[in-house]
Amino acid sequence: MATAWDPAAHGALILPSGRVVRGRGLSRPLPAGPAPDFALYLLGHPPPPVAWESRWLRWPDFWLPTDRTAAARALREAWTRAGTERVEIACAGGRGRTGTALACLAVLDGVPAADAVAYVRRHYAAHAVETPWQRRFVARFR
């Protein structure tokens, strides 16, 4: 079992259950500290190779995942694994797609869907979840 992420680390979102998920932008260097055990990469193209287990969701910038069923499955896996592993969710900039995915994890963690975007903006990044359709995706996520 992996050690938990440092909740004070840059980019860490602490969910109500105590799960910690690191969000980040792949355009920035890997933060200091332990590497993730599992990562979910949200990009319109395949991500660069990494030394840890990862999944790629085709998710174009400013849009939604191209396969909503696969996205729901991957987000549920990330949430489950965050209970015992270091999980990272990342897109290019770390705000829109990453924020949307983190808000969906908040829904899985018990935050009402109508409040999940505000929760992520308050606890992760003020400009997370960038577009109206990303907000609608979170509001409808179950």
Side-chain angles (χ1 to χ4, degrees):
M1 180 163 99
T3 58
W5 294 81
D6 175 3
H10 175 72
L13 172 68
I14 303 170
L15 294 166
S17 66
R19 285 174 165 87
V20 179
V21 179
R22 180 172 71 192
R24 78 175 179 108
L26 293 172
S27 61
R28 292 186 284 286
L30 185 67
D37 297 307
F38 174 76
L40 182 58
Y41 295 123
L42 317 169
L43 298 166
H45 54 80
V50 292
W52 46 86
E53 186 181 354
S54 67
R55 302 262 184 286
W56 167 49
L57 280 178
R58 183 179 299 275
W59 191 328
D61 199 9
F62 296 105
W63 292 98
L64 298 174
T66 57
D67 183 335
R68 311 273 169 83
T69 302
R73 205 170 30 249
L75 291 166
R76 282 182 176 77
E77 178 184 5
W79 178 81
T80 299
R81 292 179 77 154
T84 58
E85 300 176 63
R86 291 183 303 267
V87 172
E88 170 177 270
I89 295 185
C91 63
R95 295 292 180 255
R97 293 168 285 184
T98 296
T100 301
L102 292 174
C104 290
L105 295 188
V107 170
L108 292 173
D109 209 62
V111 175
D115 300 332
V117 170
Y119 181 89
V120 169
R121 287 178 174 170
R122 188 170 45 258
H123 297 287
Y124 169 68
H127 299 290
V129 191
E130 295 173 316
T131 67
W133 39 93
Q134 289 172 342
R135 288 191 296 278
R136 199 167 35 252
F137 182 79
V138 173
R140 294 176 179 165
F141 187 79
R142 301 287 177 258

